[in-house]
Amino acid sequence: MPLVHLPPLPLDRDGDLPLAVQLADALRTAAATGVFRAGDQLPSTRSLATELGVSRTVTAAAYDQLHAEGWLAGRHGAGTFVVGLPERSAAPPVPGAVRGSARAPRYDLRAGTPCVEVLDASAWRRAWRAGADFPPDLRVDVAGDHAFRAAVGEHLMRLRGLVTDPADVLATCGSTSATAELAATLPAGSTVAVENPGYLRAVEAFRARGHHVVPLPVDEAGLVVEAIPGGVAAVYCTPAHQYPMGGRLSAGRRIALVERARAEGFLVVEDDYDGELRYDVAPLPLLASLGPDVVAHLGTASKLLTPTLAVGWLVAPPAVRDAVLATRATSGVRPSRAGQRVFSAFAAHGDLARHLRRLRRELGQRRELVVAAVTAAGARAVGDAAGAHVVVPLPDAAAERAVVAELAARGVAADGLERLHNAPDETYGLVIGWAGLPRTDLPAALDLVTASLQPSRTTLP
Ligand SMILES: Cc1ncc(COP(=O)(O)O)c(C=O)c1O
């Protein structure tokens, strides 16, 4: 374990606070600003006392305090270690979010995390080695490397049935960043319709550009197209697997949406964040296949591989693509070349296809465990035909908060739907994601979930 190098720890010998309290505060502040990592070893109380010119009673009392708070562990003589970290900021609590615990959650059931456990380590290393096999260069093509655009074109054709020319594919830094880029191309002060509940980072991307966001209801057949008001400049949606409710936009609604977009001149943003992960339902044509003239299609490597690659793709009508490219001249957005190269190298020799098969198998098995656990608790899991999360509907905000808080107290991080409302809404429930934790942890995490889903909380009116 690394012995951590401590930053300057200011102590006011003439102050009102005892030195041990000041020292504990200074260490806590340092930890909260990211100076320590879990596993770091702190200096002994004796050497820290010498370094600071205080008595050992002061350093021992400060360590004892932090030990009691739960983020230091260790015994006298065996070293003191950082085992968790205090909260990084004093941001106000988000309703339904897991907060207040000094430790990282024992089980992370939040949706949106990829399953890196099934990533074959040697294939991954091979992709990085191949991705590095280029001479250093200075020129950046902000549209993306040709090999990447070709690899995405192939991926879209094989997995999503979308036929594109590599020249029509733009590399992005991921779907969220691409949504922000699209937001920047809309006329100032536009009205943009977004699913509710929905992906809040998309809502924020539009609002950050000064657009007016209107909520759109969703049901088990996805976005309710008839509810789109007149006069919108864009509609953002997740047709393959509505985030978070899990509905799949029906064939009829797909056609209706594209027809309305054509008739009313709005752009449809199709966020296909996990469209490759489908279980026992047939694929429906992408909106981008039905309406290539009105749809901006967004894909990402974040759920298939990892968000640390920071790459995704955009396929959009030429005018939209050019407008995005034009903003890159000044915005500084330049999709990661390393990420693109790793993605294309991973795709080149079948490793991506093999990985996707493993991922689907693994996530499909986990899905069965989750649905069985929820059903055994007498509750309902909705939206499980695709992706890596389900929603367990709950009757009201009080039930949702009680379930989320109880899980948090037991070390399980999971979100409630309330966090994903972008306007007042009566849809409540627990969102359970199963990709991000080790497979071996899933049964224990699910036991805690079932215990929290008492019938008094889950019975719908
Ligand atoms: C609906 C939706 N879109 C996009 C993303 C993120 O994609 P990216 O990492 O490419 O920004 C997420 C992540 O959770 C998501 O839930």
Side-chain angles (χ1 to χ4, degrees):
M1 299 282 177
L3 186 61
V4 74
H5 178 72
L6 290 179
L9 298 168
L11 298 180
D12 177 3
R13 279 155 219 282
D14 302 321
D16 292 337
L17 281 180
L19 286 175
V21 175
Q22 292 187 42
L23 179 57
D25 284 349
L27 287 167
R28 202 182 292 107
T29 306
T33 50
V35 170
F36 305 140
R37 300 212 180 102
D40 280 346
Q41 183 176 5
L42 294 188
S44 68
T45 51
R46 186 187 303 278
S47 74
L48 183 59
T50 310
E51 194 180 319
L52 297 174
V54 297
S55 85
R56 197 172 158 208
T57 334
V58 169
T59 51
Y63 278 16
D64 282 349
Q65 171 60 32
L66 302 178
H67 200 285
E69 289 173 16
W71 59 275
L72 287 192
R75 283 170 287 114
H76 286 298
T80 300
F81 295 93
V82 177
V83 290
L85 292 175
E87 292 281 294
R88 264 177 176 253
S89 80
V94 179
V98 176
R99 288 213 171 262
S101 160
R103 295 158 210 255
R106 206 154 30 124
Y107 304 115
D108 194 343
L109 293 179
R110 283 172 290 197
T113 334
C115 182
V116 287
E117 200 175 43
V118 297
L119 204 44
D120 179 65
S122 47
W124 188 238
R125 267 197 304 275
R126 201 161 47 239
W128 276 92
R129 270 198 302 271
D133 196 14
F134 289 88
D137 54 18
L138 283 172
R139 251 185 350 93
V140 176
D141 184 347
V142 289
D145 283 7
H146 179 77
F148 174 75
R149 297 163 84 185
V152 169
E154 181 76 13
H155 176 78
L156 284 171
M157 189 179 66
R158 283 180 190 282
L159 278 118
R160 311 298 289 124
L162 180 67
V163 181
T164 49
D165 191 281
D168 295 335
V169 176
L170 268 196
T172 70
C173 306
S175 307
T176 314
S177 147
T179 304
E181 292 193 276
L182 290 169
T185 67
L186 298 176
S190 292
T191 299
V192 179
V194 179
E195 298 163 333
N196 184 40
Y199 185 46
L200 282 195
R201 290 167 79 198
V203 174
E204 281 155 18
F206 290 114
R207 287 199 179 131
R209 279 277 155 186
H211 302 313
H212 175 56
V213 172
V214 292
L216 289 179
V218 299
D219 61 22
E220 58 296 337
L223 156 75
V224 180
V225 175
E226 312 87 84
I228 300 171
V232 298
V235 171
Y236 164 93
C237 56
T238 47
H241 188 225
Q242 200 276 326
Y243 184 82
M245 299 305 291
R248 192 169 59 128
L249 193 65
S250 66
R253 287 189 184 174
R254 282 170 197 253
I255 292 164
L257 179 58
V258 166
E259 279 175 356
R260 275 198 66 180
R262 284 193 180 124
E264 297 171 36
F266 60 76
L267 180 72
V268 178
V269 181
E270 174 176 47
D271 180 357
D272 197 41
Y273 67 105
D274 68 358
E276 295 89 348
L277 303 173
R278 195 183 56 251
Y279 305 111
D280 29 35
V281 286
L284 286 175
L286 288 182
L287 293 177
S289 305
L290 296 173
D293 50 329
V294 287
V295 175
H297 174 89
L298 298 177
T300 177
S302 293
K303 311 287 177 220
L304 306 181
L305 296 168
T306 159
T308 58
L309 278 187
V311 286
W313 45 90
L314 164 71
V315 178
V320 175
R321 206 174 58 223
D322 292 348
V324 167
L325 273 178
T327 66
R328 286 186 185 176
T330 50
S331 67
V333 169
R334 51 176 194 266
S336 152
R337 178 169 264 184
Q340 292 178 62
R341 284 182 173 165
V342 171
F343 184 90
S344 25
F346 197 68
H349 305 295
D351 285 331
L352 180 61
R354 264 187 296 279
H355 170 67
L356 278 173
R357 283 196 293 274
R358 282 167 66 141
L359 187 64
R360 267 209 206 116
R361 197 176 329 118
E362 173 67 22
L363 293 179
Q365 288 166 2
R366 293 185 186 201
R367 169 186 81 132
E368 281 170 24
L369 294 177
V370 172
V371 173
V374 170
T375 315
R380 210 159 60 89
V382 302
D384 66 318
H389 73 267
V390 285
V391 170
V392 179
L394 294 171
D396 51 35
E400 180 184 303
R401 287 177 198 158
V403 170
V404 171
E406 184 175 310
L407 286 172
R410 294 177 180 197
V412 181
D415 282 330
L417 282 182
E418 195 177 23
R419 270 197 75 220
L420 305 171
H421 293 168
N422 58 56
D425 190 72
E426 292 302 310
T427 327
Y428 294 100
L430 177 70
V431 185
I432 307 175
W434 55 80
L437 76 177
R439 167 76 171 268
T440 46
D441 279 354
L442 191 58
L446 288 176
D447 283 347
L448 295 170
V449 169
T450 6
S452 75
L453 293 176
Q454 301 151 13
S456 63
R457 289 181 178 151
T458 55
T459 308
L460 298 173

